[in-house]
């Protein structure tokens, strides 16, 4: 405590510096690499399309809708993993809020979870039997659960720091902008995986081993990046000391969801993540099955989307300050709805080259990618701070945990829906078109729900 007091200036905590912002943001460069590997390549690895089977990709688990005639094994495992993840979010958020470590409430979780998070990600793709086997199913189930548990242990305390590090709207937008940038770059790095494993294959490495080597390299890189804020950022220099939150997880969760604006936000956020997960999981299949382009084309598409979205970072910040975060997010929903619908229609039926269609998908998604990367986390921080101002209790950990609990329910449903819909007219790619259209409709619904969010009420509480 003496050390913290020495770092105060006129009774205030140390001002959030640019260096501190970027040290924090580096962690958001790391974990999206791991998340991107699983969300983008898990289904691709265990439920390969016809093109991948023809290139020598083996099968590790039973294929098709073998569960009740409606669900796939990979879809059920992915959904159960995200459901388990959603359930553990409030638990970890509550434990973080109650933490009494001398390092702070959040940093200890970052230090202890980074390495097992990276290791479990790699082991997901290392099923031990080189053919269809129930042992592979059990292996996949165990390591998917471990992956999601350690993701929660890192992600929930990490995002909770947003509301505590940033003391003003300017700092909040700056912090959200930086971590949005590193999130997009980290996810884009995960999309480079086909480039790396193709290079290994060209050197004579067997396809499965090449993919596993690639996932190992990316996992090690991600762990190194996640450890940067865990060891380089002193939480107590910037976060006001407060008494650990009292009460059980259920009481804290109930208090959080009693906030009407938060319930509205969570509803639209759940639908958004359902749509985004469907689209993100389907992107490699859209490239190969609909556009008839090589699998490596997914990498330049996402990198192009990243680069294009950067042009909208400054406009999103300016427009959010002028019109409010709510209106910008609603506009982003409209752009994504149109972009996903276009994706569902793309292919040979359109009288333009597939490369042009891919460019349209990328350019149309740039603005909403920037908006959703920056604003939703700032909105959660707003609600957490306004609640703290009204009640005197800082439950930022539970606010972010409750948000992730809800959107991961959406992701769970998306895994079930995608893997089942994708099996429809698989040879012609009809199921992938249905996936894109459903994602478009969900974005339209999410924008409609957000209309009921009372941003003025939250702003007045902060003021």
């Amino acid at each position: 405590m003496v050390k913290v007091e020495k770092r105060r200036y006129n009774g205030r905590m140390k001002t959030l510096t640019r260096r501190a912002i970027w040290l924090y943001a580096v962690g958001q460069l790391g974990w999206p690499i791991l998340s991107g590997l699983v969300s983008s390549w898990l289904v691709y690895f265990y439920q390969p399309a016809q093109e991948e089977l023809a290139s020598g990709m083996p099968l590790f688990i039973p294929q098709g809708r073998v569960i009740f005639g409606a669900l796939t094994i990979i879809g059920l495992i992915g959904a159960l993993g995200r459901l388990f993840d959603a359930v553990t979010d409030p638990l970890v958020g509550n434990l973080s809020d109650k933490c009494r470590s001398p390092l702070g409430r959040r940093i200890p979780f970052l230090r202890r979870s980074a390495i097992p998070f990276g290791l479990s990600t790699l082991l997901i793709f290392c099923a031990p039997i080189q053919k269809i086997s129930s042992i592979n199913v059990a292996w996949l189930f165990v390591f998917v659960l471990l992956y999601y548990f350690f993701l929660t242990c890192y992600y929930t305390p990490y995002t909770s720091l947003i509301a505590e590090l940033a003391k003003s709207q300017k700092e909040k937008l700056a912090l959200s902008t930086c971590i949005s940038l590193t999130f997009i770059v980290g996810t884009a790095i995960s999309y480079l995986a086909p480039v790396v494993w193709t290079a290994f294959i060209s050197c004579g490495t067997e396809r499965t081993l090449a993919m596993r080597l690639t996932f190992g390299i990316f996992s090690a890189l991600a762990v190194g990046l996640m450890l940067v804020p865990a060891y380089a950022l002193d939480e107590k220099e910037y976060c006001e000391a407060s008494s650990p939150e009292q009460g059980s997880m259920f009481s804290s969760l109930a208090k959080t969801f009693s906030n009407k604006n938060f319930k509205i936000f969570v509803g639209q956020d759940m639908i958004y993540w359902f749509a985004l997960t469907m689209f993100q999981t389907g992107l490699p299949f859209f490239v190969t099955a609909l556009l008839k382009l090589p699998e490596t084309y997914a990498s330049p598409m996402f990198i192009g989307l990243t680069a294009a979205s950067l042009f909208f970072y400054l406009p999103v910040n300016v427009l959010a300050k002028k019109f409010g975060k709510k209106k910008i997010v609603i506009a982003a929903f409209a752009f994504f709805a149109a972009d996903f619908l276009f994706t569902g229609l793309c292919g040979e039926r359109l009288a333009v080259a597939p490369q042009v269609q891919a460019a349209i998908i990328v350019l149309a998604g740039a603005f909403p990618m920037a908006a959703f990367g920056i604003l939703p986390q700032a909105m959660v921080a707003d609600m957490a701070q306004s609640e703290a101002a009204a009640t005197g209790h800082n439950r930022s950990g539970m606010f972010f945990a409750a948000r992730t609990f809800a959107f991961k329910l959406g992701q769970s449903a998306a895994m079930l829906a995608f893997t089942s819909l994708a099996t429809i007219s698989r040879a012609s790619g009809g199921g992938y078109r249905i996936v894109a259209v459903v994602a478009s409709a969900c974005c339209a619904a999410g924008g409609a729900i957000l209309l009921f969010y009372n941003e003025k009420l939250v702003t007045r509480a902060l003021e």
Side-chain angles (χ1 to χ4, degrees), residues 247-269:
S248 68
M249 176 191 75
F250 295 105
S251 65
S252 181
L253 187 62
K255 290 175 184 176
T256 303
F257 273 107
S258 67
N259 186 308
K260 181 180 178 181
N261 268 315
F262 185 69
K263 284 187 285 190
I264 293 170
F265 175 88
V266 161
Q268 62 82 34
D269 203 43

Side-chain angles (χ1 to χ4, degrees), residues 30-168:
W31 74 260
I33 296 177
L34 301 179
S35 177
L37 291 179
V38 173
S39 62
S40 300
W41 306 116
L42 176 64
V43 175
Y44 195 78
F45 188 85
Y46 283 104
Q47 188 176 297
Q50 296 297 326
E51 292 80 4
E52 284 66 57
L53 290 174
S55 65
M57 186 69 190
L59 295 176
F60 296 94
I61 61 175
Q63 303 293 294
R65 289 171 285 178
V66 297
I67 302 174
F68 308 123
L71 304 176
T72 63
I73 287 179
I74 185 62
L76 183 61
I77 290 176
L80 290 175
R82 290 182 186 272
L83 184 61
F84 171 77
D85 184 24
V87 171
T88 57
D89 273 319
L91 173 63
V92 173
N94 192 50
L95 290 174
S96 181
D97 282 341
K98 289 182 173 182
C99 183
R100 297 175 181 270
S101 170
L103 296 173
R105 296 195 292 179
R106 320 299 180 188
I107 291 297
F109 287 84
L110 307 190
R111 292 188 177 184
R112 293 169 186 170
S113 60
I115 293 176
F117 183 16
L119 185 60
S120 59
T121 303
L122 171 61
L123 291 175
I124 282 177
F125 299 97
C126 294
I129 309 299
Q130 295 299 304
K131 61 180 181 180
I132 295 176
S133 169
S134 58
I135 294 176
N136 290 338
V137 175
W139 176 283
L140 181 61
F141 180 67
V142 168
F143 284 105
V144 163
L145 291 187
L146 288 174
Y147 159 84
Y148 280 115
F149 175 71
F150 290 119
L151 167 62
T152 297
C153 289
Y154 190 92
Y155 175 80
T156 297
Y158 178 86
T159 52
S160 301
L161 283 170
I162 298 173
E164 298 170 356
L165 291 172
K167 302 300 187 295
S168 66

Side-chain angles (χ1 to χ4, degrees), residues 31 235 435:
W31 74 260
E235 178 182 335
V435 165

Side-chain angles (χ1 to χ4, degrees), residues 205-404:
T205 306
E206 185 268 331
R207 182 181 177 87
T208 304
L209 178 58
M211 296 180 77
R212 288 170 174 169
L213 288 172
T214 301
F215 296 141
I217 292 169
F218 280 40
S219 296
L221 171 63
V223 168
L225 294 169
M226 287 191 295
L227 290 174
V228 170
Y231 285 95
L233 189 66
D234 189 339
E235 178 182 335
K236 289 199 167 184
E237 279 191 343
Y238 302 99
C239 301
E240 291 285 354
S242 59
S243 299
E245 179 66 17
Q246 302 300 316
S248 68
M249 176 191 75
F250 295 105
S251 65
S252 181
L253 187 62
K255 290 175 184 176
T256 303
F257 273 107
S258 67
N259 186 308
K260 181 180 178 181
N261 268 315
F262 185 69
K263 284 187 285 190
I264 293 170
F265 175 88
V266 161
Q268 62 82 34
D269 203 43
M270 188 185 305
I271 292 175
Y272 162 71
W273 282 100
F274 175 87
L276 184 66
T277 303
M278 291 262 283
F279 189 82
Q280 186 179 34
T281 306
L283 184 58
F285 300 99
F286 300 151
V287 169
T288 58
L290 301 186
L291 297 174
K292 305 299 182 183
L293 294 169
E295 65 178 12
T296 53
Y297 214 87
S299 298
M301 279 185 69
F302 200 85
I303 292 171
L305 178 59
T306 303
S309 68
L310 297 180
F311 289 101
F312 290 97
Y313 270 57
L314 179 59
V316 164
N317 274 272
V318 173
L319 292 171
K321 292 175 184 176
K322 184 174 182 179
F323 298 106
K325 303 178 185 73
K326 169 184 170 179
K327 292 181 179 178
I328 307 307
V329 174
I330 291 175
F333 266 124
F335 270 86
F336 259 154
D339 192 25
F340 294 171
L341 181 60
F342 174 81
T343 303
L345 300 174
C346 69
E348 296 176 354
R349 66 184 66 184
L350 297 182
V352 291
Q355 292 83 355
V356 175
Q357 296 177 46
I360 293 173
I361 294 171
V362 166
L363 295 176
F367 163 70
M369 179 68 76
F372 278 109
I374 297 171
L375 300 181
Q377 294 191 102
M379 293 169 73
V380 178
D382 285 345
M383 287 180 280
Q385 287 183 333
S386 65
E387 182 82 1
T391 65
H393 295 284
N394 184 345
R395 292 196 305 273
S396 59
M398 185 55 74
F399 265 90
F400 280 93
R403 186 242 175 156
T404 52

